Structure formats: C-alpha cells, structure tokens
C-alpha cells in the first residue's frame, strides 16, 4: 500500500512511549476502520511497565509540587497553543484510527486544546475558605490538596477529548496521570503525549507527570494499578459494565472515582416545538460522531400530531448524509469503529424491525470495504423493545410518540440511565417542566449539543457520577483539607 502524504501519520508519533524501553514488548495493530488496513504497530505494555510508570508518577508529584498555580497555568496554556499549532496532524491521525469525518476531528482537536486552556484558567482559582468557629474555639481554614496519582481510562469514540478532560484538570490540580487509551485508538493520545512532554520539558516540569499506557490487557492493567495503594484516583469514561468492575476494584484501596458511563438520551419534541429547529438539532444530537456518543439522542419522542411530519423530514435530512472515508472532504458520516460494533448495531435494528417497526431508510449493511452502517430511521417501535433500553451507539434514529406532556416525561425518564436529555417546545411553562422533571445530569432545552468546556459534564443513576469540565471539573482531582488553628 502506498500512502499519499495526507494519509501518513505524523513522524513523531511515540509508538513506544515507555520511559524505560530496555525490555522489548510485543505490539498490536491499529486498524483504519474505513479501509480495514493496519496503519500502525503500537507497543503492548505489560505490568512491569505500568508499575514503573506509577513509581515515576509518584516521584513526579513531589517534583511538581513547588510549581506555582501561575506556572501550572502557563504550562496548560502552552499545551493549548501547541495542540492548535498541530491541529491538522491531530485531525488526520484521529480520522485514520477512528473514522470520524475530518471536520469533526478538527473540532475535537480544538475542543481538546480548549480543555487545557480552560483548566489553565482554573489552576489559579482553586478555592479555599476561612471561617471562625461559632463557639470561639479557633479559626477554620479549608484548603485543597492534589488527590495524588490518577489512572484515566478512556474510550475510542473521542480518542483525544475524553483524555483531555482528565489530564488537564489533573495537571492543573497538581496530580500525575497514567492514561490508558482504548486499544482501537491509541494514536491521537500518543501524539498528545508527545506534545505535552515537549511542553513539560520546555518548562522544566517533570516528564513523568504523564504516562500513556497502550495495552490490549485493559482488565489486568486496572487490576494491577488499582491494587497499588499509591494510586489515589480512577477516572473512567466507558460502559456501565466496566465502570462497575472499576468501582469494585476501587473499594480495596478506597480510591476516589469519577465514572462517566453509558446513556440513553431522550429527545422530546412537544406539539408546539419549532419543528425546523428540532430537526436540525435532531441531526446534530443523533449524527455527530456517527451516533457513537454517550450523549447521543437515543430515543426520539415526538407528539403524535407532528410525528409523521417529523419522521418524514428527518428521513429527508438523513438522505443527504454523505457516508464515506472521513479523510475525504465532504464526508459527513464515517465508518463504525469495528466490524463487531457495526454488527451489533445491525442486530439491534434487525430485531426491532422483525418485532414490527417500520424502516424509513437504511437498515442494511452496505457491501463495501470498511465498517460502514447507513443512516437509519425507524418508527412504530414496539413497547419494551431492546433498542429503547440500550445505547444504540450508531446512526440509527427511533421515533416513538406521546399524547400528553405527562406521558412524554414519563417515557423519557423510563430508563436506568440519566446522562443527557433534550427537549423542544416554544412554550415557557413546558420548557420549565422539562428542565425540572427530566431525570438527567444534563438537560438541553431547544438545543441539540450541550457539551461545553465551561459546563459540568456528567450523569446520574447508571450513567455514573463525577463531573468533567466547568469549575466543578477540577474538584474531582482535589482533596479537602481543614486546618483548625
Ligand atoms: P466500549 O464498549 O466503548 O469499548 P468499554 O467500557 O469496554 O466501552 O471500554 C472503555 C475503555 O475501558 C477502553 O479503554 C477499554 O480498553 C477499557 N476497559 C475495558 N475493560 C476494562 C477493565 N476490565 N478494566 C479497565 N479498563 C477496561
């Protein structure tokens, strides 16, 4: 295979990021999901590497502690600038390993950079408190200290941004981080590592503040590191099933935990909604990142009087989606991450259709190279169908109906998850009800995309706990200390 310049990975990708690489290791192959071709061989780190990284991280925390808040802020700001300077390298790498369209990969790169800028701005505002004891017993001073070495485990759907939300606040707070990227998509994170290590060196800050540990043995890695009491925090984005394993493992050493887990977002469209707005937001909430998003609209709930028109117009918009290799400008839907994910989505669709749902478009696996699945619209979903209970994680929209607001809210909340919810209405009272009564950590009112560096991202119920971003995000990396004097 001859790669054109646009299809080459950056020359400085650290495919073996270990500090001590004296012992040779096996490697694993990263596959481009649009072409099914191997694009890189990455070192498969093992337990000695993980423990070596932790030992180095512990020392790095001490070395880093004299850095003032302003110096930390300057480091994070420099990382922001370096990421932006290499936006095209990041975007191409991400598209090649993950499949998303280049335009979205550029967006994720900018968003990643922004997390570093934001948490640099927060590094100088870590809060504290002073009070007098009401009984006159003395002074109460409340400060924050870094929680300590952090293990960050990230998924493949946003190979950079999910890590950035963890690394940036950790460095701002004074914590070293060990990152385990998803084995499907380690390359963007490795490039980020290179950028961060270069900046740390420039500021004479310890390189060991950040370790990246690509491996095919995720379970062994989390068991090994979490069994070590020097590790003080686990932060995870991924499935609820794995989140629960990590919570059990964290019990042994009482490590602090942040869990950003699965979602099953309802997207409610009231009878008086601005339909054009709701439709364009529906496309955003469903199709961004090919639907491979934990806050993706999973269940469209549309008032019965407008459901027919909504479904028809949504199908028209889906007809305009351009499916293809994300490296080609103009592509708006890339492949799914793996054949297994594509087949899982297809099985979910097939099962729903066999149970009586109507297919408005899509629903078939195309005969072409790459793990593609077409935009699919289904209506008439049987009550209790698995597709209404589980995260679809693909470009499949299901439209169900309701007749009253009470019914809409009840159906929307009929899920074990509680990450995001979206609702559309032009009536202030209806919007207020949605804002108060939809059971989710994040509620979008007349908006299809609510993720923001300055807002606390996170869920309730089986979607986990802990928040990323906003002024809340840094608290996850800080312990509270009370000094009585
Ligand atoms: P997905 O279905 O999106 O791959 P997972 O929860 O399986 O979701 O994966 C998210 C991240 O968790 C990936 O980095 C994966 O390697 C990692 N992972 C999977 N199983 C475990 C485990 N037992 N312990 C720690 N990490 C795990």
């Amino acid at each position: 295979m001859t790669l054109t310049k646009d299809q080459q990975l950056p020359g400085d990708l650290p495919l073996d990021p270990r500090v001590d690489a004296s012992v040779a290791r096996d490697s694993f192959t990263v596959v481009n999901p649009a072409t099914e071709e191997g694009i890189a061989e990455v070192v498969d780190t093992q337990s000695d590497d993980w423990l070596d990284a932790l030992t180095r991280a512990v020392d790095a925390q001490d070395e880093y502690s004299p850095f003032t808040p302003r110096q930390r802020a300057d480091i994070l700001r420099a990382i922001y600038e370096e990421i932006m300077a290499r936006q095209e390298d990041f975007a191409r790498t991400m598209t090649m390993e993950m499949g998303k369209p280049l335009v979205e990969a550029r967006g994720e790169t900018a968003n990643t950079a922004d997390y570093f800028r934001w948490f640099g701005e927060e590094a100088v505002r870590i809060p504290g408190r002073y009070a007098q004891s009401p009984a006159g017993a003395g002074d109460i001073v409340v400060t924050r200290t870094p929680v300590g070495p952090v293990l960050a485990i990230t998924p493949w759907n946003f190979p950079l941004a999910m890590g950035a939300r963890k690394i940036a606040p950790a460095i701002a707070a004074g914590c070293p981080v060990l990152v385990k990227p998803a084995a499907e998509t380690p390359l963007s994170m490795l490039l980020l590592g290179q950028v961060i290590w270069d900046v740390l060196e420039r500021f004479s800050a310890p390189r060991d503040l950040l370790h990246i540990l690509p491996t095919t043995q995720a379970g062994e890695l989390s068991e090994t590191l979490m069994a070590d009491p020097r590790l003080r925090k686990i932060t995870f984005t991924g499935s609820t099933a794995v989140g629960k394993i990590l919570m059990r493992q964290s019990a042994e050493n009482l490590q602090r935990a942040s869990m950003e887990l699965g979602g099953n977002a309802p997207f409610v469209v009231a009878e008086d909604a601005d339909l054009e707005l709701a439709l364009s937001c529906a496309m955003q909430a469903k199709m961004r990142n090919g639907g491979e998003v934990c806050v993706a609209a999973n269940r469209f709930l549309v008032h019965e009087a407008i459901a027919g028109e909504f479904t028809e117009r949504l199908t028209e918009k889906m007809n305009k989606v351009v499916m293809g290799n994300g490296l080609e400008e103009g592509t708006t839907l890339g492949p799914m991450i793996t054949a297994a994910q594509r087949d899982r989505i297809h099985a979910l669709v097939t099962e729903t259709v066999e149970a009586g749902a109507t297919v408005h478009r899509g629903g078939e696996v195309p005969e072409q190279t790459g793990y593609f699945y077409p935009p699919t619209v289904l209506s008439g979903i049987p009550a209790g169908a698995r597709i209404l209970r589980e995260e679809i994680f693909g470009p499949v929209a299901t439209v169900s109906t309701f007749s009253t607001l009470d019914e809409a809210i009840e159906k929307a909340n009929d899920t074990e998850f509680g990450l995001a919810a979206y609702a559309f209405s032009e009536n202030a009272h209806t919007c207020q009800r949605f804002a108060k009564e939809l059971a989710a950590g994040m509620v979008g009112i007349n908006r299809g995309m609510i993720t923001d560096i300055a807002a606390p991202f996170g869920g309730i119920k089986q979607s986990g706990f802990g928040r990323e971003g906003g002024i809340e995000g840094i608290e996850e990396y800080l312990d509270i200390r009370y000094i009585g004097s």
Side-chain angles (χ1 to χ4, degrees), residues 405-406 409 413 431-440 443:
L405 211 51
D406 285 343
I409 291 170
N413 290 343
C431 289
Q432 271 175 343
R433 280 203 63 188
F434 287 142
K436 278 195 199 148
E437 295 180 41
L438 290 175
V443 180

Side-chain angles (χ1 to χ4, degrees), residues 151 153-157 180-184 215-223 226 234 236-243 245-246 249 341 393:
L151 172 60
I153 301 182
T154 57
W156 47 260
N157 60 342
K180 194 215 79 68
E184 295 85 350
T215 184
T216 54
Q217 297 160 50
E220 289 83 345
L221 176 139
S222 69
E223 268 174 45
M226 292 174 76
I234 169 80
F236 173 69
T237 302
S239 62
T240 298
V242 172
I245 294 174
L246 297 174
Q249 287 175 183
Q341 282 291 332
F393 235 63

Side-chain angles (χ1 to χ4, degrees), residues 263-266 295 299 412-413 415-422 434-444 450 456-464 467:
N264 182 1
V295 293
R299 295 170 292 144
N413 290 343
T415 167
E416 61 185 7
F417 295 105
L419 191 57
Y422 307 89
F434 287 142
K436 278 195 199 148
E437 295 180 41
L438 290 175
M442 298 173 279
V443 180
I450 49 172
F457 188 104
I460 58 172
K461 303 196 305 190
Q462 303 281 311
S463 296
R467 292 296 180 268

